[in-house]
Amino acid sequence: MRRRVLLGALGLLMILAVPVAYACPLCLGGVLFAPGQQLDVAEEAVLAAPTADGTRWRIIEVAKGHAVAGQVITEAVDGADAAALRAGRPVLLLRHEQWPRWSSAGTIGVEYAGWLRQLGATGPRADRPDVDWRTRVALVAPYLESPEPLAADIAYGEIARAPYGALRSLKARLDAATIARWLDDPRLAARRPAYTLLLGVAGGPGDAERLERRLDAAWAAREATNLGAVLAADLELRGPSRVAWIETRYLADRARTMPEIAAALQALSEHGDENGAVPRARVIQAFLVLIKERRPMAGLVAGHLAEWEYWDAVGEYAALLASSVPLDPASRAAIITYLERCPRAEAKAALASLK
């Protein structure tokens, strides 16, 4: 639910046509390789302090792996700057057998060792290939904007890349007033998409009015920055009654730009995946509006319709492929993939006619 890079039409088509289930695309911008991801990938994670001569590291606590407290690391450590050495604080060191050396993720207090162990335990493993997201977001939420910088960075990174459904599970743990203050802090501007989604989860009527004012201003200015997160949060607070507004203001409005359309579809897609505050059936109705009103863009929603096994768009898609409507190659490919996945005979017939 999420800092935005303005993509071309082809890039937007490719992103929207292929659902991303492992993380919320509304607030991922700027999170290229979060510290929590580094912890997941690493086989060993330890808190270590420099020895007196500053040439080696002594392990204080083990957060992950089979290292032993008291063990001395003699090889060089990547990313361990002089300031960290002078501070004398513990450093989170990570290692994988395929990495040439240990790598520093930054300094962090030794009192966070237990938290890091808990966090590491929620990562992928043989019997569970994905992160245990609900447990993980519950672990990191109390550390958002923590005075311990690395803890705060880890917490934000995991919130930013967590699936939207996992964020919704935090409702009882969040304070809307605190989140609103973060949103008003210019120093946290890069984190606004993720915090906007959290405001939608935690907020009330006053927060809905705040979001509505932002949406009115964005619509008037044709502004798409962070629009997907604001729309998703607004839908969370207002529910299915708000979908018609998006259909009118964005999907059917010919003056809207491609980034605006993309943002609206991203917000609707997250709610469709979750099937919560806005039922998936209502999101599908909105997607059908797009197919009808924006035929050249119809492929934008094909991936999600296939993922949700909604096959009643076969007729519209088959007719579209047979028509003279100009389609972006990515949109055409998404529609063909939808027909290929559809088990119905009419989809097979439509594909055969293309040959």
Side-chain angles (χ1 to χ4, degrees), residues 101-173:
R101 294 183 293 197
W102 288 85
S103 177
S104 169
T107 62
I108 191 167
V110 70
E111 66 272 20
Y112 290 87
W115 178 65
L116 291 168
R117 280 192 288 271
Q118 290 179 296
L119 195 62
T122 67
R125 60 193 191 199
D127 63 335
R128 187 193 62 227
D130 197 9
V131 172
D132 177 1
W133 278 113
R134 295 204 172 207
T135 301
R136 178 167 288 197
V137 295
L139 281 170
V140 302
Y143 295 92
L144 288 168
E145 301 313 315
S146 166
E148 179 65 75
L150 183 54
D153 287 346
I154 291 172
Y156 167 73
E158 297 314 287
I159 291 296
R161 69 189 192 97
Y164 185 57
L167 299 185
R168 294 183 78 236
S169 71
L170 290 173
K171 184 175 180 62
R173 301 172 181 268

Side-chain angles (χ1 to χ4, degrees), residues 53-75:
D53 59 8
T55 63
R56 296 176 297 173
W57 298 82
R58 187 177 301 279
I59 296 175
I60 303 171
E61 291 277 359
V62 178
K64 183 180 180 182
H66 303 291
V68 178
Q71 177 183 341
V72 174
I73 298 171
T74 58
E75 60 260 51

Side-chain angles (χ1 to χ4, degrees), residues 164-165 168 236 268-284 308:
Y164 185 57
R168 294 183 78 236
E236 185 70 35
L268 289 167
S269 297
E270 289 299 322
H271 280 277
D273 285 337
E274 180 61 16
N275 198 22
V278 178
R280 180 176 298 169
R282 183 64 185 92
V283 174
I284 289 172
W308 301 334

Side-chain angles (χ1 to χ4, degrees), residues 248-272:
T248 301
R249 287 291 190 103
Y250 287 99
L251 303 188
D253 185 348
R254 302 289 174 171
R256 294 305 104 191
T257 64
M258 177 61 83
E260 289 176 281
I261 296 296
L265 293 179
Q266 283 177 331
L268 289 167
S269 297
E270 289 299 322
H271 280 277

